Amino acid sequence: QVGLVEFGGGLVQAGGSLRLSCAASVTIFSTDTLDWYRQTPGKQRELVASITSGGSTTYADSVKGRFTISRDNAKNTMYLQMNSLKAEDTAIYYCTVTRALLRYWGRGTQVTVSS
């Protein structure tokens, strides 16, 4: 079992930045895949960014060039740096850890971008 807690959400003006953190209750293995998802009311959860065990990253087209995912296995923490935020980035953001084909979810943190 992997417990995850997100930090860093809040209210920010359009064009601003936020850095989300996700702390794991257990050791993050270098073989784990780490992801950030987001969800708005009435919509399915969207994969925002992913980082593999090898450090390869992928991003949703809507956030490319603005968001950066990173991991610090030594601190059992992952991050999502969000720059040039837009109103449409408003959502609940969730971090996930995928290990041995099981995906573990955090409870989410609200990000609200005012235009």
Side-chain angles (χ1 to χ4, degrees), residues 54-71:
S56 297
T57 57
T58 56
Y59 298 93
D61 288 342
S62 57
V63 307
K64 279 181 182 177
R66 300 188 298 121
F67 290 12
T68 303
I69 187 172
S70 61
R71 61 194 291 166

Side-chain angles (χ1 to χ4, degrees), residues 73-114:
N73 293 346
K75 294 182 178 180
N76 300 324
T77 303
M78 58 192 289
Y79 305 95
L80 185 68
Q81 177 66 43
M82 306 186 294
N83 299 327
S84 302
L85 283 161
K86 305 175 181 179
E88 51 264 43
D89 294 319
T90 295
I92 299 174
Y93 284 73
Y94 301 87
C95 61
T96 76
V97 171
T98 301
R99 174 181 298 176
L101 302 180
L102 294 177
R103 175 172 284 131
Y104 300 92
W105 293 80
R107 292 191 174 185
T109 185
Q110 176 71 46
V111 172
T112 303
V113 184
S114 63

Side-chain angles (χ1 to χ4, degrees), residues 6-12 18-21 82 93 109-112:
E6 300 92 343
F7 301 94
L11 174 65
V12 63
L18 281 176
R19 188 193 196 202
L20 303 183
S21 301
M82 306 186 294
Y93 284 73
T109 185
Q110 176 71 46
V111 172
T112 303

